[in-house]
Amino acid sequence: MTDTTRIWTAALLVIGDEILSGRTQDKNVAQVATWLNVQGIRLAEVRVVGDDQGAIVEAVNALRARNDYLFTTGGIGPTHDDITVDAIAAALGVEVEIHPGARAILERYYETRGGLNEGRLRMARVPAGADLIPNRMSGAPGIRVGNVFLMAGVPSITAGMLDALTGTLEGGLPVLSETIGSWVMESEIADLLRVTEQAHEGSAIGSYPFFREGRTGANFVIRAVDPAVLAECAEALLTGIRAMGREAFPGGI
């Protein structure tokens, strides 16, 4: 049964020197956040660390302790610098082992691709007691151990792993949103935003100012899990902005 009151949260740990150096631009944050929202889980925080075991261990233990779920992307490939499995095993205090199911998957996948060599077999290594996340794209599975999910860094492969997890995690209701835009300075409307949010329990209003066409404006994103609360809060904000003598644009500017 879906819990309509509890807020379920997740953290994302992005792993890889190539992200921090700027050689690779991360695309997983947006897709993980969007997917989690549909599962009724909110992405509460994101951290990026390099290929350093100590940094990964520290981040894993901090993030998994204060969230319902922790997702990691990157560092589970066949090369020597893919250390995510070792780091998470260390964080959890368990050994690393070859998962027989993962080995069988890789043997089948590489049967016509040159066979399973030592590097490829590294992708069958898991923290002891882990389960597998199916990967229909490249053979090598993702890994689930407790509330920690290890996924590939390649966004298309990550997407497939998320698809395989769809509907399997406990969560609440998905967060709904509506956007209202206005050519108004954020400071002029701060009190209205605060009062409107407080008057509609279960809502949250984010303010995103911009300078465009030589003018200052802002888009206001209202979020709620209850569609009725969302509609009422949006209508109240629209009315409030127009009462100030300003135009308000449903859908944003």
Side-chain angles (χ1 to χ4, degrees):
M1 183 177 177
T2 299
D3 186 339
T4 59
T5 57
R6 178 180 168 184
I7 297 174
W8 295 75
T9 66
L12 174 61
L13 179 62
V14 180
I15 298 167
D17 290 341
E18 71 278 4
I19 301 293
L20 290 171
S21 71
R23 290 193 305 272
T24 300
Q25 290 189 337
D26 178 79
K27 297 179 180 178
N28 281 320
V29 173
Q31 75 165 345
V32 170
T34 301
W35 179 85
L36 284 168
N37 184 49
V38 175
Q39 313 307 308
I41 301 163
R42 300 186 192 183
L43 182 59
E45 50 188 321
V46 178
R47 191 182 296 191
V48 184
V49 297
D51 298 311
D52 175 272
Q53 181 158 322
I56 297 171
V57 168
E58 188 278 327
V60 165
N61 282 331
L63 295 173
R64 73 187 180 95
R66 60 177 177 251
N67 292 282
D68 296 294
Y69 304 107
L70 169 61
F71 291 79
T72 73
T73 59
I76 59 171
T79 58
H80 70 283
D81 61 345
D82 289 313
I83 60 171
T84 299
V85 168
D86 300 87
I88 289 181
L92 300 178
V94 300
E95 298 296 319
V96 174
E97 61 187 21
I98 298 291
H99 192 290
R103 180 176 188 137
I105 290 168
L106 291 166
E107 284 176 343
R108 288 194 299 272
Y109 184 80
Y110 287 110
E111 186 176 2
T112 58
R113 297 173 172 88
L116 189 60
N117 57 31
E118 184 177 346
R120 291 167 173 175
L121 185 59
R122 281 180 57 83
M123 294 185 289
R125 300 167 72 252
V126 303
D131 297 314
L132 303 179
I133 303 170
N135 169 15
R136 293 185 290 273
M137 286 198 62
S138 65
I143 302 162
R144 175 178 184 169
V145 52
N147 70 334
V148 183
F149 300 79
L150 290 68
M151 301 184 299
V154 178
S156 58
I157 299 176
T158 304
M161 292 179 177
L162 291 172
D163 184 60
L165 288 170
T166 295
T168 66
L169 305 187
E170 191 172 5
L173 294 174
V175 179
L176 308 172
S177 69
E178 282 195 26
T179 301
I180 295 170
S182 181
W183 294 106
V184 62
M185 291 183 64
E186 190 180 30
S187 58
E188 294 178 71
I189 204 169
D191 286 343
L192 175 62
L193 298 179
R194 176 179 52 79
V195 170
T196 304
E197 182 180 278
Q198 289 177 349
H200 297 85
E201 187 175 354
S203 71
I205 304 175
S207 177
Y208 305 94
F210 58 81
F211 184 78
R212 195 184 306 159
E213 301 171 15
R215 306 168 69 189
T216 298
N219 283 312
F220 309 107
V221 179
I222 305 123
R223 298 181 176 90
V225 298
D226 185 331
V229 170
L230 180 67
E232 290 168 6
C233 186
E235 184 59 35
L237 185 57
L238 274 170
T239 301
I241 294 172
R242 288 167 178 164
M244 296 171 63
R246 301 301 184 98
E247 284 188 279
F249 302 89
I253 298 173

